[in-house]
Every structure is written in structure tokens, then in C-alpha cells.
Amino acid sequence: MIVRIVKMHFHLENIPAFLELFEERKSLIRHFEGCLHLELWQEENNPQVFFTYSHWESEEHLNHYRFSELFKDTWKRTKALFAE
């Protein structure tokens, strides 16, 4: 099993758009073959910082997701909201 943590820092005004995107996509990601678990965390002392925390069956499953159209589109839309 692979545990993946991704840290993201957003412009304050883009947080609602990110949360809407995550809400829209989380079920698709959770049901992607090999995804065992997915959570979204927000840093307590800096609300602009979020983390996705996920478990994947294997590196092969994670890579299959990372090269999927779902990931490419989601990541492109997410990155556009980043502050850093």
C-alpha cells in the first residue's frame, strides 16, 4: 500500500472554488481502481493550506490514476487556484 500526501497552498479567494471542485471529484477519485482511502485536510493555523491524504493499493494503481484524464483535468483546474 502507498500513502500519498499532497500539500497545496491556495489564494484565499480561491478556496471556495477548490472546495467545490474537491466535492465534485472526491467520489470519482475514491472509486478509481486502486484507491482505498481519500481525505481532505486543512491546516488549522493557516487556512490557505490543504492536504489530500490518500491510500493506494500499489504504485501501479497510483500511476494509473496519475496518468488518467480524471487526474489531468482535476490537477490542471486545481493548480490554477494555487498561491504557490
Side-chain angles (χ1 to χ4, degrees):
M1 181 180 74
I2 295 198
V3 174
R4 183 171 189 247
I5 301 172
V6 177
K7 182 179 183 180
M8 300 168 286
H9 187 198
F10 295 97
H11 289 287
L12 205 53
E13 65 273 12
N14 290 339
I15 291 173
F18 168 68
L19 291 174
E20 183 178 325
L21 178 62
F22 184 80
E23 189 64 30
E24 173 188 303
R25 301 291 172 103
K26 69 181 180 185
S27 182
L28 296 171
I29 298 167
R30 284 180 177 144
H31 289 97
F32 202 90
E33 184 180 349
C35 182
L36 304 172
H37 183 79
L38 173 67
E39 291 181 32
L40 179 65
W41 299 340
Q42 186 174 21
E43 193 169 290
E44 185 175 349
N45 296 322
N46 186 352
Q48 292 175 263
V49 176
F50 287 80
F51 300 86
T52 55
Y53 174 79
S54 58
H55 296 177
W56 293 86
E57 252 180 73
S58 68
E59 186 172 357
E60 183 179 332
H61 286 96
L62 174 57
N63 285 336
H64 181 66
Y65 167 68
R66 290 177 66 218
F67 291 104
S68 72
E69 288 305 312
L70 173 62
F71 174 82
K72 289 176 187 176
D73 182 60
T74 302
W75 190 241
K76 177 183 172 186
R77 292 174 61 188
T78 301
K79 282 190 345 183
L81 305 172
F82 284 174
E84 294 180 11

